[in-house]
Amino acid sequence: MSHKVFSAVARGAHKFVEQAEAAWKGAVEKHGEDKVVEFPQTAFYLPMIYALTGRKVEKLADIGPVLEHCRRDLLHPVPEQNTWLPYLGHGLDEGAATMFAQEILCALDCVNGYELPEGYYGFLTDTSQRELGIQLVDGRMPGFAALLGPAPDNETAVKVIRELQKRSILIFLCANRDGRTMKQQLDEEDIQTGWETYIVPTGPETRYGTMVLNWAVRSALTFGGKKPGQFAEILEYSRDRVHAWGMTFGESPDDWYATGAGAILMGYPIISDSETTPEVRPTGVCVYEALVRETDYEQLVPTCVEVRGVKVKVEEIDIPVPFAAALEGERVRKEDLQVEFGGKKAHGMEFLRMVEMDEIDDGDIELVGEDIDGVEPGTAMDLGVEVLVAGRQMQVDFEGILERQIHRYVNHAGGVMHMGQRNLVWLRISKGTYEAGFRLKHIGTILHAKLHDEYGQLADKVTVRIITEPAELQRLRERAAVAYGERDVKLAGMKDEDVDIFYSCALCQSYAPNHVCIVSPERLGLCGAYDWLDCKASHQISPSGSNQPVQKGRTIDAAKGEWEGVNKFVYDYTNRTVARYCQYSLMDSPMTSCGCFECIVAIVPEANGVLVVNREYLGMTPIGMAFSTLAGSVGGGIQTPGFLGVGRRYLLSEKFISYEGGLARMVWMPKEFKEEMREDLQKRAEAMGIPDLVDKIADETVAEDSAALLEFLTKVQHPALTMPPLF
Ligand code: SF4
Ligand code: ZN
């Protein structure tokens, strides 16, 4: 059986290596050996080659030895018709050779200025992975699938995509058959592709399949703390923690088989819809089977999920349009707009509050005012959504947390777009969704179902009032304004000293097994998504879950933020790799990072200060490293004094590296980021008694290297220059 598979793999691998050799020679002739070879925005060179062999490919000359390694060690002769065995090991070697050769070919595409057709992403950046980090680890996104080739027809393409989306599975598209791609099929069916909709086309050629694999392999380096060259550990990590698989449509050509062998080497099974594909069912390399056939399209996606051993939850909510987390980023464009609320032309708000158990009946959904029946396309209306929650374990403190989920829940409905929160909500409903019968009360249906589903421990009863009637809306606005204000004051006023218990967050351990966030009232998790109250609520909801109470215990050093209880907890929860955590220090035993930090704080020794760079900023920093390079050395659950992954809002905390002097140390940040934060930074600076600090913080417009930075800091007399030495 496997003879057919492994001869195809061998032929495919030989072809890719030959192509890479020819392309490389051509490139050397044209550009010379010193020509730089790189993918955009990555700290990992050619990531697959770097991860599995430890080799840094930086210029054309570095490619030669990799190709030689493929030729000498990884390629084997194509099996003769009459030989058996030992195919599997050879096939896996050839899978590696294929991935390296494809990666080289794609990198040479960059060198040669090859432009992918519109809508294809090509290389996937480090940032795209960090941004998805939390969703991948907390199970919201249970895995991802790479689809090769077009489906037999558009209808099947849409069906498969919808089935994957329903399960919140991230989808990559690559390869073509006779020039036809699945992206074309989706385009024709008006299905939006892109990161926003979790359908990411990498390239129309087979070699761009490797872009998915070299994206996946980076998680072992960023989150898993594995070192380049530790190929066995990296492959094991990838098999056990990265829930991916491939799907091929129609009969597979040799180059798909070879690509599939690469995927199987990484532990990702392949599921084929073709009668002619032989199965490879020994387990070991993958968690379950390696190559599986499923010709029934009804069963295709369920089979994938089963073969990969992924746990998924399919959401069935009684509304007339699809409902899935994967639809969260979908936009409703102006041309598709039936009706909108809030935004520029109208008012939109939402407010969730706690009530007593006997005040409401669960499941009541009330519409006060007009519905949207018969509205002209493009209409703007006012809207208020009031959610009442009662529960024995519910607390007023949790109102804000539950209210913040409205955004996510409503967005999951197909053709519904939601932005903003509180009294700045903007909601759009598309024509298609309106025509399918979606009406305002369905917003209530969604909120009722999802709050029970995810927050059932807190919400015994949920009712929703949808309000379009002006006087009633006005009453709601006034009531909500008071509550928003109270919430803000309460949170802002909460100090670490006021509590005996911090919370841990170990969500990222599924990716970064030695990392734990210690979340205190004045320091939120480094992903920016969980503050102390969130963790408290989440602990209430699942007492044995990822958020555990951490008793501070005896104080060892109040200024550094070191406690006996925290140290003990951290030691136990980092697999005994980290013995001390100083909550408020950058230089002494700082908190570790997983990889999904919003920003990185890094020491600038010459300036006796620190800089901060957010992950959206692609440019250079004065310490000669861009975000992606910095991130490469900060993640993976390792303590790196002088470097810290943090959530944005931590910059505004009184406890922001307070042991080293706090915000006064800040000497540089990207301009756009500074402007976004300006108002809050200004408040904090004033509270610290340095009201002119914000303008003394340099940005890329005044300094991109350390000489220019120092010159600027000296000119403005930045306080960091006269503070005690950082080390
Ligand atoms: Fe991961 Fe920390 Fe965020 Fe939890 S708080 S999801 S551990 S980054
Ligand atoms: Zn993380």
Side-chain angles (χ1 to χ4, degrees):
M1 261 308 196
S2 39
H3 183 274
K4 173 177 169 183
V5 175
F6 291 108
S7 346
V9 168
R11 284 192 303 268
H14 279 268
K15 201 173 91 195
F16 276 118
V17 173
E18 275 156 29
Q19 280 176 359
E21 284 166 339
W24 172 62
K25 282 186 191 130
V28 171
E29 261 168 42
K30 197 159 143 207
H31 307 281
E33 288 214 314
D34 288 330
K35 173 79 179 172
V36 171
V37 181
E38 61 185 356
F39 286 123
Q41 297 164 47
T42 178
F44 302 107
Y45 310 94
L46 271 52
M48 185 59 75
I49 294 169
Y50 185 51
L52 296 188
T53 71
R55 287 173 200 270
K56 298 177 182 173
V57 173
E58 293 171 279
K59 43 192 174 50
L60 284 176
D62 303 328
I63 290 179
V66 178
L67 287 170
E68 210 180 290
H69 172 52
C70 292
R71 270 263 168 244
R72 197 186 50 222
D73 310 317
L74 301 176
L75 290 183
H76 304 276
V78 178
E80 301 280 340
Q81 202 52 42
N82 48 7
T83 53
W84 261 153
L85 288 179
Y87 296 138
L88 187 60
H90 285 183
L92 295 176
D93 285 351
E94 282 154 351
T98 301
M99 295 195 293
F100 297 164
Q102 290 179 339
E103 193 169 48
I104 289 169
L105 283 165
C106 293
L108 293 177
D109 281 349
C110 294
V111 171
N112 293 327
Y114 168 72
E115 291 211 8
L116 285 161
E118 172 146 3
Y120 287 95
Y121 285 78
F123 182 77
L124 307 171
T125 64
D126 294 358
T127 303
S128 63
Q129 189 174 60
R130 284 174 208 289
E131 282 175 350
L132 288 181
I134 311 159
Q135 292 174 57
L136 284 165
V137 301
D138 71 4
R140 259 182 282 160
M141 186 182 279
F144 57 92
L147 277 50
L148 272 69
D153 51 58
N154 288 13
E155 197 189 326
T156 312
V158 174
K159 181 168 178 50
V160 171
I161 293 289
R162 289 291 184 224
E163 288 292 312
L164 289 167
Q165 283 189 319
K166 214 157 98 182
R167 294 166 172 81
S168 306
I169 287 156
L170 174 63
I171 303 160
F172 295 100
L173 307 177
C174 62
N176 69 79
R177 183 181 301 282
D178 305 325
R180 180 123 175 106
T181 63
M182 187 170 295
K183 172 156 189 327
Q184 288 167 347
Q185 296 181 314
L186 299 181
D187 287 346
E188 287 161 13
E189 297 301 318
D190 264 339
I191 293 191
Q192 293 174 33
T193 60
W195 280 110
E196 314 77 59
T197 53
Y198 298 158
I199 309 171
V200 183
T202 57
E205 296 89 3
T206 310
R207 60 179 181 276
Y208 279 89
T210 278
M211 298 292 108
V212 184
L213 299 173
N214 82 8
W215 183 81
V217 82
R218 275 172 270 164
S219 63
L221 306 176
T222 16
F223 296 94
K226 306 285 178 239
K227 295 277 161 283
Q230 296 181 325
F231 70 91
E233 286 93 334
I234 289 173
L235 294 177
E236 188 184 272
Y237 177 96
S238 142
R239 180 194 65 195
D240 294 344
R241 296 182 186 268
V242 181
H243 298 142
W245 66 87
M247 294 167 81
T248 63
F249 292 89
E251 177 143 17
S252 296
D254 291 350
D255 56 341
W256 292 13
Y257 274 113
T259 309
I264 290 171
L265 176 66
M266 293 191 58
Y268 311 152
I270 307 293
I271 291 84
S272 160
D273 70 343
S274 166
E275 290 287 356
T276 58
T277 304
E279 299 198 307
V280 178
R281 283 186 174 262
T283 57
V285 187
C286 297
V287 176
Y288 302 104
E289 297 84 356
L291 178 59
V292 171
R293 187 170 57 223
E294 178 56 70
T295 52
D296 174 0
Y297 289 106
E298 291 299 324
Q299 284 310 312
L300 188 57
V301 173
T303 300
C304 293
V305 167
E306 189 185 312
V307 170
R308 188 61 185 98
V310 174
K311 289 193 182 50
V312 292
K313 197 161 73 180
V314 181
E315 305 187 284
E316 301 289 357
I317 289 183
D318 189 18
I319 55 172
V321 288
F323 186 87
L327 300 173
E328 182 168 340
E330 189 197 30
R331 317 288 295 189
V332 174
R333 300 189 197 92
K334 216 164 156 197
E335 317 81 84
D336 300 329
L337 178 67
Q338 182 74 30
V339 51
E340 67 182 336
F341 308 92
K344 289 199 189 75
K345 297 196 204 121
H347 185 75
M349 63 158 302
E350 58 206 17
F351 176 49
L352 180 146
R353 66 186 169 94
M354 178 181 148
V355 293
E356 293 304 322
M357 286 291 263
D358 56 6
E359 283 182 62
I360 54 172
D361 289 319
D362 182 48
D364 278 356
I365 295 165
E366 184 190 358
L367 173 66
V368 186
E370 296 286 311
D371 204 339
I372 55 175
D373 291 293
V375 294
E376 288 295 315
T379 306
M381 289 170 68
D382 290 341
L383 177 74
V385 175
E386 184 182 30
V387 185
L388 307 176
V389 173
R392 270 173 292 269
Q393 302 219 51
M394 182 63 192
Q395 299 178 16
V396 175
D397 280 353
F398 299 153
E399 286 177 349
I401 297 168
L402 267 57
E403 188 182 282
R404 281 209 301 276
Q405 314 306 321
I406 296 177
H407 166 72
R408 197 158 50 87
Y409 298 160
V410 173
N411 252 335
H412 291 182
V416 180
M417 182 180 100
H418 181 289
M419 304 220 271
Q421 53 167 327
R422 291 191 172 179
N423 55 355
L424 289 172
V425 167
W426 183 23
L427 186 91
R428 285 186 150 185
I429 296 174
S430 76
K431 286 179 190 159
T433 295
Y434 171 81
E435 277 151 25
F438 191 91
R439 294 297 177 265
L440 289 178
K441 69 169 195 308
H442 290 122
I443 296 174
T445 312
I446 296 170
L447 297 179
H448 172 258
K450 288 302 292 175
L451 284 167
H452 273 304
D453 174 25
E454 291 187 7
Y455 290 89
Q457 295 287 334
L458 302 179
D460 292 326
K461 292 182 180 179
V462 178
T463 72
V464 183
R465 301 179 71 224
I466 313 274
I467 300 162
T468 57
E469 198 272 317
E472 185 63 20
L473 184 55
Q474 185 53 32
R475 272 193 290 277
L476 181 65
R477 287 169 75 160
E478 282 160 20
R479 176 165 201 167
V482 177
Y484 298 150
E486 283 170 0
R487 277 181 210 163
D488 287 345
V489 171
K490 200 164 175 180
L491 245 188
M494 209 154 152
K495 300 280 174 248
D496 283 5
E497 289 79 6
D498 302 339
V499 300
D500 295 324
I501 289 176
F502 293 164
Y503 284 91
S504 64
C505 184
L507 262 182
C508 284
Q509 288 202 343
S510 56
Y511 264 117
N514 294 339
H515 168 75
V516 59
C517 277
I518 296 294
V519 181
S520 65
E522 293 180 89
R523 182 170 184 178
L524 79 169
L526 56 88
C527 56
Y530 296 92
D531 63 24
W532 185 83
L533 266 181
D534 294 318
C535 293
K536 184 178 171 195
S538 135
H539 176 65
Q540 203 100 337
I541 293 162
S542 60
S544 60
S546 300
N547 301 105
Q548 292 299 316
V550 182
Q551 285 284 348
K552 285 155 77 179
R554 189 178 70 84
T555 305
I556 298 173
D557 189 323
K560 285 183 182 168
E562 186 180 9
W563 297 270
E564 219 168 59
V566 175
N567 280 349
K568 186 176 174 320
F569 184 97
V570 166
Y571 188 58
D572 289 344
Y573 276 75
T574 56
N575 299 309
R576 308 185 164 241
T577 57
V578 179
R580 293 177 60 212
Y581 252 13
C582 294
Q583 192 82 350
Y584 312 140
S585 176
L586 170 73
M587 302 305 294
D588 186 9
S589 306
M591 198 180 291
T592 60
S593 303
C594 39
C596 43
F597 30 75
E598 287 187 296
C599 333
I600 296 173
V601 174
I603 182 171
V604 188
E606 307 90 311
N608 198 33
V610 300
L611 60 76
V612 62
V613 53
N614 54 323
R615 72 178 164 215
E616 292 78 12
Y617 178 71
L618 305 176
M620 197 33 87
T621 72
I623 53 173
M625 288 188 266
F627 179 90
S628 56
T629 319
L630 271 170
S633 50
V634 181
I638 299 158
Q639 265 175 336
T640 22
F643 298 87
L644 214 51
V646 299
R648 288 169 174 245
R649 279 185 291 140
Y650 179 49
L651 303 178
L652 306 168
S653 160
E654 279 176 36
K655 297 295 190 323
F656 170 65
I657 57 169
S658 49
Y659 182 66
E660 280 88 12
L663 196 62
R665 289 279 181 187
M666 187 61 69
V667 296
W668 188 95
M669 59 195 292
K671 186 172 173 63
E672 199 182 320
F673 185 35
K674 187 167 75 175
E675 291 314 318
E676 273 169 38
M677 305 266 296
R678 180 176 279 276
E679 212 177 300
D680 293 327
L681 288 169
Q682 185 58 35
K683 273 193 213 140
R684 178 73 201 116
E686 280 166 19
M688 292 175 81
I690 28 177
D692 53 356
L693 176 68
V694 182
D695 288 318
K696 293 183 174 181
I697 302 177
D699 57 45
E700 72 277 16
T701 61
V702 297
E704 278 192 301
D705 60 48
S706 67
L709 176 64
L710 269 187
E711 197 183 313
F712 174 84
L713 298 176
T714 313
K715 195 177 81 194
V716 300
Q717 298 183 320
H718 193 287
L721 298 177
T722 53
M723 288 170 81
L726 262 177
F727 59 93

